[in-house]
Amino acid sequence: MQAPSATRGVATSPDDTLAAPHAQAADDVLAALASSPEGLAPDEAARRLASHGPNRLPSLAGRSPLGRFLAHFNNALIYFLLAAAGAAALLGHLVDAAVILGVVLVNALVGFIQEGRAEKALQAIHELIAAQAHVLRDGRRMQVPVETLVPGDIVLLEAGDRVPADVRLVQVRALRIEEAVLTGESVAAEKQAAPAPAAAALGERHCMAYSGTLVATGQATGVVVATGRETEIGQISALLGDVAPLTTPLLRQINRFGTRFTWITLGVAAVLFAFAVLVRGLAWPEALIIVVALAVGAIPEGLPAVITITLAIGVQRMARRNAAIRQLPAVETLGATSVICSDKTGTLTRNEMTARRVDVPGGAIAVSGAGYAPVGRLTPEPGAENAEQRLADAERLILAGVLCNDARLHQVEGEWRVVGDPMEGALVALALKAGLAPEALRRAWTRLDAIPFDARHRFMATLDRHAAGDCRIFVKGAPDELLALCMAQAAGETGVALDRDAWAARIAQAAGEGERVLGLAVKPVPAGTHALQFADLEEGLCFLGLVGFIDPPREEAIAAIAECRAAGIAVKMITGDHAATAAAIACQLGLGDAPRVLTGGELDAIPDDALPGRVAETAVFARTTPAHKLRIVRALQSTGAIVAMTGDGVNDAPALKQADVGIGMGHKGTDAAKEASRMVLLDDNFASIVAAVHEGRVVYDNIRKVVAWTLPTNGGEVLAVIAALALNVAMPMSAVQILWINLVTAATLGLALAFEPAEPQVMRRRPRPPERGLLTPFLIWRVAFVSLLFMAAALGVFFYSLGRGDELAMARTLVVNMVVAMEVFYLFNVRFLHMTSLHWRGVLGTPAVLAAVATVVAAQLAFTYLPVMQAVFDTRPVTFADGWLIMGAGMVIMVVLESEKILMRRVGKRYHRGDRP
Ligand code: ATP
């Protein structure tokens, strides 16, 4: 794809432009944009924002509301109903025709409104996870919403970031960017700060990072040269169509079922029509009306809309519990989740690090204090002979920790907070406790180059030059990796030869106490060195010692893990940390007393065919890389598990995509990880995953309830019509009356089920087997049984009324009221699929249930007593005594239904394991 403009202007103020920033030196671009390496002042940024407008792409015009409304008429059922209305009109049944049309309209309107609500709910969730960018303003690093970026802003980019605007790169470290969205090139492009030729095509402008592309590796700083629709992507307006489809596998299954059902119904209707005319000898218009009644009764018009809204309510409830759904199908899958694989740091633990020990060659030093406040001391163990030496060595180690570090501490309302990585923040606090001045040290040393931390190599290195000219490489990272790098260490800076075994024992001791252990090393290099390569670390590194941090488990994670255990969900911790640290934290979290630990190295040695078994029985995976995560997910899935997996780094994306529910971290996650996920945790908290699983189960239950409640209505009506035809008696309900029942009850009672709260035992059941369809044998039995019950009650009332000499219209009015009353009672029964409804919570209902019942009662009163309705629906006023009769019959049916529940649970326990819950 070629750029639409090779030399587009860049506005710094409305009337001053900068052409082709890729062809100019970075300093010139900075000058032209009236910016500097320290960034803009906040008030200048605000001024530019006012004049340039937000850094937002114009959204593609979605379907117009009218288009969305009309789409609701585009299905077989509606065609059929329209044809029926036409036929009724032709036969002179104008009222019937009008009612059918009215129902079609109301149905489309309800669908339209509910779909709109669902879309809005999803949209709101997308805004919750709006992207953030890291910028420098007045020399201070801060996080701001991407929308507030302006030309001249200095942005910091690192692996996993989505580039937030068009940026002229100023400083580049091993930066590679995936630009496929813009150039179609799938290999990540290497970047550098030197200018490119003016005529370079978009893909060859190696000093530019374009909005919407993804940082694959490395780090950079750059100056924003274009925002919003001024960016390259804004000009070609691609990328924007990623509105998530409002559908899920379940919804598709139901829609398919609905379509099939419609055609079957039409077939049956045709046969019945022939039967009525040829066998029963009815006049064809009369037969047609019967057939229309049957078809109208059979088809669950409102079902898809109610299910969509059930899903949308689930999404909203999950968002309230800090789980933002990015893709609707995740709502369903969450309910079936059987394994949760979670990162440790920040998800299971609080990610609030405090250094507790410093270990130098001469021995250990205890560190006091809590949190990031610089209050505490370094104390060698009492009586240590070499205390002075230890403290001097500790200072050297802490210097490395402060320089090989990007975090800063600052005080907000008296509380010390970290900007950047918490462990690095804890190193700054450690320096303050040791009496050093980290900011002064950072001013005295200038960073020349760096190798950023990456979960694959587990260390970070910087090349720094002291004001006096002295140059050093500082490295911090997983101590085992560092010891391997320091293999060739002679008696260097510390004057002590490296004793690997002794260090390994000290690491094991700290890790065994649950500490996160970090190693530090240094290497002097010749003055004048400017660049840092991996090869520079291969020899000459001198191991300085260790720092042990505590990062306490989250209390709520402990409770959530216990909840998972009760719910039959396995929890696995997958961490890059040391095996002993992982095991100790797992113990504290309740993942087992002596949980099995597999390290990344051990995983590599297990062949593919043996892996599923080993992975299934292991609770803790340590020293893993993102590639291991992918193997673990696949192995678990091959055992039939439904796997939820968390991730934050750019390299986690494949595992997140592979998992059934990939979960990105809202705070510490990269854009790449979030975009690969189906759900994003707003608080990075494990407990929120479990809350989402809980809500997922509730949503699935509610969908089952909606189906279990809706289908018998249709079934009962159809059976009543067929029975009447078979018995050669008048129809117990007219077509429009059937439509009335379906409409008034689906939009009220059916919808109330979408708002149902959780049943008490929802997290005490095993996960739903994924292969189990919605219509389980139990549900089919339920639908059949209740349909028969409804038919029996409807016909019972009908014949009773006719038998005592009522006119047909009166008998039909009673039947309609009977069916609606049964629906109300059945609603109370179905609210608890897994236990009896005869308890206070069941009887009192919820506000949604009560409102629905009140509406239905009001509608039925109008239907029965309002003259207009009497004219339209041909109804008659019901006497007080008959009203009681109907209520009494409803209660009897409730008792029958509850008895069936008890009976079926007993039978189910014996025969239907897994189906009958
Ligand atoms: P999790 O995957 O559970 O979040 P983690 O955060 O412990 O685990 P990584 O971030 O992969 O896993 O870290 C692995 C190891 O790398 C840590 O134990 C630590 O020793 C080291 N490490 C982590 N962060 C840094 C950093 N910023 N600089 C240097 N080393 C680091």
Side-chain angles (χ1 to χ4, degrees):
M1 201 186 298
Q2 185 48 269
S5 62
T7 54
R8 193 164 33 77
V10 177
T12 54
S13 67
D15 48 24
D16 138 88
T17 60
L18 167 72
H22 63 275
Q24 305 190 32
D27 287 346
D28 294 344
V29 176
L30 278 172
L33 290 165
S35 184
S36 74
E38 272 73 54
L40 300 171
D43 52 348
E44 172 62 12
R47 200 186 58 71
R48 291 192 188 186
L49 186 62
S51 73
H52 282 270
N55 176 31
R56 190 190 308 144
L57 296 180
S59 53
L60 277 189
R63 270 190 305 167
S64 71
L66 183 67
R68 284 201 293 120
F69 179 64
L70 290 180
H72 285 273
F73 292 90
N74 184 18
N75 74 46
L77 164 68
I78 302 291
Y79 298 154
F80 171 76
L81 285 180
L82 290 177
L90 280 180
L91 294 173
H93 296 258
L94 289 182
V95 173
D96 290 1
V99 170
I100 296 179
L101 282 181
V103 163
V104 167
L105 262 173
V106 171
N107 207 48
L109 207 64
V110 169
F112 170 73
I113 293 171
Q114 288 177 351
E115 191 186 86
R117 274 188 61 179
E119 262 174 17
K120 238 195 230 139
L122 278 182
Q123 190 56 40
I125 309 288
H126 275 270
E127 278 158 25
L128 275 180
I129 42 181
Q132 302 276 317
H134 291 276
V135 297
L136 286 180
R137 294 228 170 117
D138 259 353
R140 288 174 58 127
R141 183 190 166 117
M142 54 175 79
Q143 218 180 12
V144 298
V146 162
E147 291 208 347
T148 62
L149 287 184
V150 291
D153 258 330
I154 300 290
V155 293
L156 309 167
L157 298 174
E158 59 182 37
D161 285 352
R162 180 92 35 216
V163 178
D166 282 3
V167 173
R168 168 67 169 90
L169 299 168
V170 177
Q171 264 187 346
V172 172
R173 291 185 199 113
L175 186 71
R176 300 178 73 211
I177 296 192
E178 283 170 18
E179 297 183 325
V181 283
L182 215 51
T183 62
E185 173 60 58
S186 58
V187 179
E190 276 186 33
K191 297 288 176 179
Q192 60 190 58
L202 207 59
E204 283 142 25
R205 296 181 195 167
H206 51 240
C207 60
M208 296 292 296
Y210 288 107
S211 179
T213 59
L214 191 74
V215 180
T217 57
Q219 281 181 330
T221 55
V223 56
V224 172
V225 295
T227 59
R229 60 174 76 217
E230 289 294 317
T231 59
E232 292 293 343
I233 197 87
Q235 299 213 335
I236 48 180
S237 264
L239 235 200
L240 297 178
D242 75 330
V243 180
L246 201 66
T247 185
T248 72
L250 192 65
L251 215 51
R252 279 198 292 274
Q253 192 183 326
I254 284 169
N255 279 333
R256 261 201 313 275
F257 166 77
T259 314
R260 216 174 296 152
F261 200 72
T262 305
W263 289 113
I264 293 174
T265 308
L266 293 186
V268 173
V271 171
L272 279 181
F273 180 75
F275 177 79
V277 175
L278 301 176
V279 180
R280 287 278 176 251
L282 295 185
W284 72 266
E286 201 186 334
L288 191 65
I289 289 296
I290 293 172
V291 165
V292 167
L294 170 95
V296 163
I299 297 165
E301 299 95 341
L303 196 57
V306 175
I307 289 179
T308 306
I309 203 80
T310 310
L311 288 166
I313 288 168
V315 168
Q316 280 171 325
R317 284 184 181 167
M318 288 180 187
R320 248 176 266 138
R321 304 185 73 170
N322 287 322
I325 297 296
R326 291 188 66 249
Q327 292 169 7
L328 204 52
V331 179
E332 268 166 51
T333 322
L334 273 166
T337 299
S338 56
V339 181
I340 305 177
C341 296
S342 173
D343 286 349
K344 171 177 71 72
T345 310
T347 312
L348 291 166
T349 66
R350 292 198 218 148
N351 207 6
E352 287 167 10
M353 306 266 175
T354 309
R356 200 171 76 164
R357 88 167 74 204
V358 175
D359 228 343
V360 286
I365 299 169
V367 185
S368 60
Y372 299 104
V375 183
R377 321 187 34 209
L378 275 68
T379 339
E381 61 218 352
E385 321 156 353
N386 53 359
E388 290 295 309
Q389 181 61 41
R390 282 194 205 182
L391 287 172
D393 286 347
E395 274 192 20
R396 225 188 336 262
L397 173 144
I398 293 169
L399 172 72
V402 166
L403 295 177
C404 186
N405 188 321
D406 292 318
R408 291 202 142 64
L409 291 184
H410 66 127
Q411 246 180 322
V412 181
E413 293 161 3
E415 194 189 331
W416 286 83
R417 301 233 178 109
V418 184
V419 186
D421 180 53
M423 189 174 65
E424 296 188 345
L427 283 172
V428 178
L430 173 66
L432 289 164
K433 289 177 193 173
L436 303 176
E439 289 309 317
L441 290 173
R442 284 171 169 173
R443 276 194 300 277
W445 291 80
T446 309
R447 188 182 293 180
L448 302 174
D449 202 357
I451 298 174
F453 174 77
D454 188 302
R456 284 174 302 188
H457 53 244
R458 296 197 194 95
F459 65 77
M460 164 179 177
T462 58
L463 170 66
D464 300 76
R465 185 182 58 218
H466 191 257
D470 182 13
C471 261
R472 289 186 199 181
I473 296 172
F474 296 105
V475 191
K476 78 176 196 306
D480 25 352
E481 306 285 337
L482 246 58
L483 281 175
L485 283 174
C486 297
M487 280 280 269
Q489 177 185 332
E493 181 146 324
T494 54
V496 185
L498 183 71
D499 181 348
R500 275 176 58 84
D501 293 341
W503 279 117
R506 291 204 213 176
I507 294 167
Q509 191 197 344
E513 290 172 28
E515 287 177 17
R516 179 178 174 83
V517 193
L518 188 74
L520 293 116
V522 68
K523 173 181 170 181
V525 287
T529 312
H530 272 99
L532 178 60
Q533 312 287 346
F534 278 91
D536 298 326
L537 307 176
E538 277 165 14
E539 57 184 43
L541 263 188
C542 167
F543 194 74
L544 294 171
L546 309 170
V547 182
F549 302 87
I550 45 168
D551 176 18
R554 290 177 182 262
E555 290 298 325
E556 59 281 23
I558 300 176
I561 286 174
E563 199 178 349
C564 285
R565 180 161 301 148
I569 300 169
V571 178
K572 307 205 180 280
M573 175 201 277
I574 305 183
T575 175
D577 217 334
H578 194 280
T581 312
I585 299 282
C587 242
Q588 294 172 20
L589 284 163
L591 276 174
D593 290 337
R596 242 177 240 269
V597 183
L598 267 184
T599 63
E602 288 163 351
L603 271 175
D604 288 335
I606 302 175
D608 278 344
D609 52 346
L611 196 62
R614 291 295 300 277
V615 165
E617 65 187 21
T618 306
V620 181
F621 299 87
R623 284 292 187 240
T624 53
T625 63
H628 291 123
K629 281 191 174 180
L630 186 60
R631 258 192 107 203
I632 294 171
V633 177
R634 289 205 171 123
L636 286 169
Q637 285 174 330
S638 73
T639 65
I642 297 291
V643 185
M645 156 83 80
T646 67
D648 48 17
V650 58
N651 301 314
D652 286 337
L656 289 171
K657 281 201 184 120
Q658 174 71 36
D660 299 281
V661 186
I663 304 171
M665 296 296 147
H667 281 304
K668 67 170 195 163
T670 55
D671 297 340
K674 287 186 221 170
E675 287 168 19
S677 301
R678 289 177 142 197
M679 175 171 115
V680 169
L681 289 186
L682 300 176
D683 59 356
D684 294 8
N685 189 342
F686 180 80
S688 303
I689 306 177
V690 181
V693 169
H694 174 276
E695 292 301 341
R697 288 185 172 197
V698 175
V699 165
Y700 197 81
D701 275 357
N702 289 354
I703 291 177
R704 275 174 57 116
K705 288 173 191 177
V706 168
V707 172
W709 179 85
T710 308
L711 294 186
T713 319
N714 303 100
E717 287 161 351
V718 170
L719 289 179
V721 170
I722 293 180
L725 211 56
L727 298 172
N728 204 11
V729 293
M731 287 296 114
M733 293 163 279
S734 69
V736 289
Q737 285 172 342
I738 291 180
L739 268 180
W740 163 264
I741 298 174
N742 287 6
L743 185 78
V744 85
T745 58
T748 52
L749 303 177
L751 199 58
L753 288 172
F755 293 88
E756 272 302 289
E759 286 191 42
Q761 303 290 318
V762 69
M763 287 301 266
R764 302 205 164 261
R765 283 183 253 141
R766 296 197 57 72
R768 140 175 73 92
E771 69 283 355
R772 190 166 86 188
L774 190 63
L775 285 176
T776 58
F778 164 65
L779 217 57
I780 293 173
W781 148 254
R782 203 75 212 292
V783 169
F785 174 69
V786 181
S787 298
L788 280 170
L789 208 59
F790 275 26
M791 178 200 74
L795 289 183
V797 169
F798 187 58
F799 289 132
Y800 165 76
S801 173
L802 289 180
R804 73 180 181 192
D806 289 347
E807 59 166 327
L808 181 62
M810 183 68 226
R812 284 182 171 174
T813 310
L814 287 179
V815 169
V816 171
N817 276 302
M818 181 72 239
V819 171
V820 173
M822 282 189 293
E823 303 258 6
V824 172
F825 282 106
Y826 182 45
L827 178 77
F828 280 87
N829 170 274
V830 105
R831 287 186 58 222
F832 295 90
L833 271 179
H834 304 105
M835 57 186 279
T836 174
S837 302
L838 298 177
H839 41 76
W840 277 119
R841 201 185 132 185
V843 175
L844 292 179
T846 60
V849 166
L850 296 182
V853 172
T855 315
V856 167
V857 169
Q860 275 318 108
L861 289 176
F863 174 84
T864 312
Y865 298 106
L866 218 60
V868 196
M869 302 290 262
Q870 289 177 347
V872 171
F873 290 100
D874 198 20
T875 52
R876 301 287 179 272
V878 171
T879 64
F880 201 63
D882 281 349
W884 275 114
L885 182 77
I886 288 172
M887 292 292 285
M891 281 182 203
V892 170
I893 283 173
M894 180 79 176
V895 172
V896 173
L897 286 169
E898 285 297 318
S899 315
E900 179 262 1
K901 225 192 246 180
I902 295 169
L903 199 72
M904 281 308 285
R905 249 214 323 273
R906 294 231 172 104
V907 177
K909 270 198 187 123
R910 217 169 304 151
Y911 298 110
H912 298 289
R913 264 183 198 290
D915 173 16
R916 173 70 225 196

